[in-house]
Amino acid sequence: EIEAWLAIMFGRVVALLPLLVVQAAAFSAHTFAGTGHGVQAAACRFAPAVLMSDAPKAKYRPTSFGVNPRVYKDRKRNLYNRYYKSTQATAIKKVDQALEAGDKAEAQKLFSLAMSVIDKNVKRGIIHKKKGARRKSRIAKKLASMGA
């Protein structure tokens, strides 16, 4: 019984030897002069970094929502944010199209709708308030240059 256990443990140690050789080579590349610590302490401190650098890179986010509930929330919020940003871009494009067509009355009406959409997105926190102000200012400047 003891002999079988020793054989299993010896097999595990032999299996770990290549990893230990790689770690030893990595540690010998570092210089620890002047740190006040021995090589043993420095080796222990840097061991996780060496092991992690050799590990394969994992995906940033898991595909299943059960792993991390925040992933579900983040993706849901991302969908909402994309919808509202798209709505804002469409409203601004409609104002630009009306201005290019020379329809002042239609541009004025779409301008007020675009301002409303931008203000709501600022209120929701989808865009920064200064970005919203900049967008509104640029559209207003275009409208004023047309003489509406």
Side-chain angles (χ1 to χ4, degrees):
E1 211 176 284
I2 293 175
E3 291 173 0
W5 181 80
L6 285 174
I8 292 171
M9 294 308 290
F10 182 73
R12 289 182 182 168
V13 169
V14 170
L16 286 175
L17 279 178
L19 180 63
L20 294 174
V21 170
V22 169
Q23 284 186 358
F27 294 143
S28 64
H30 295 290
T31 56
F32 304 111
T35 58
H37 301 290
V39 175
Q40 298 252 340
C44 292
R45 189 172 57 232
F46 287 105
V50 173
L51 291 174
M52 290 303 290
S53 65
D54 293 339
K57 301 290 183 207
K59 287 187 178 179
Y60 176 64
R61 293 192 168 186
T63 52
S64 62
F65 296 135
V67 176
N68 186 359
R70 284 194 79 78
V71 174
Y72 176 73
K73 287 182 180 180
D74 289 344
R75 289 185 184 175
K76 190 173 166 184
R77 286 185 189 130
N78 181 258
L79 286 174
Y80 282 126
N81 291 350
R82 273 194 287 172
Y83 168 75
Y84 289 124
K85 280 185 177 183
S86 174
T87 306
Q88 174 181 314
T90 305
I92 291 172
K93 282 179 193 173
K94 285 183 179 179
V95 174
D96 287 339
Q97 289 171 354
L99 288 171
E100 287 175 11
D103 191 359
K104 294 178 185 178
E106 185 69 20
Q108 192 69 33
K109 188 173 81 172
L110 292 171
F111 172 75
S112 65
L113 289 174
M115 295 300 110
S116 173
V117 169
I118 292 171
D119 286 335
K120 285 178 184 175
N121 285 346
V122 168
K123 181 181 73 175
R124 289 182 184 112
I126 293 168
I127 61 171
H128 193 271
K129 63 181 180 179
K130 289 190 177 183
K131 184 173 186 174
R134 186 172 61 244
R135 291 268 166 98
K136 291 194 304 186
S137 172
R138 287 178 182 169
I139 299 169
K141 198 182 291 184
K142 286 180 188 176
L143 197 61
S145 69
M146 188 177 176

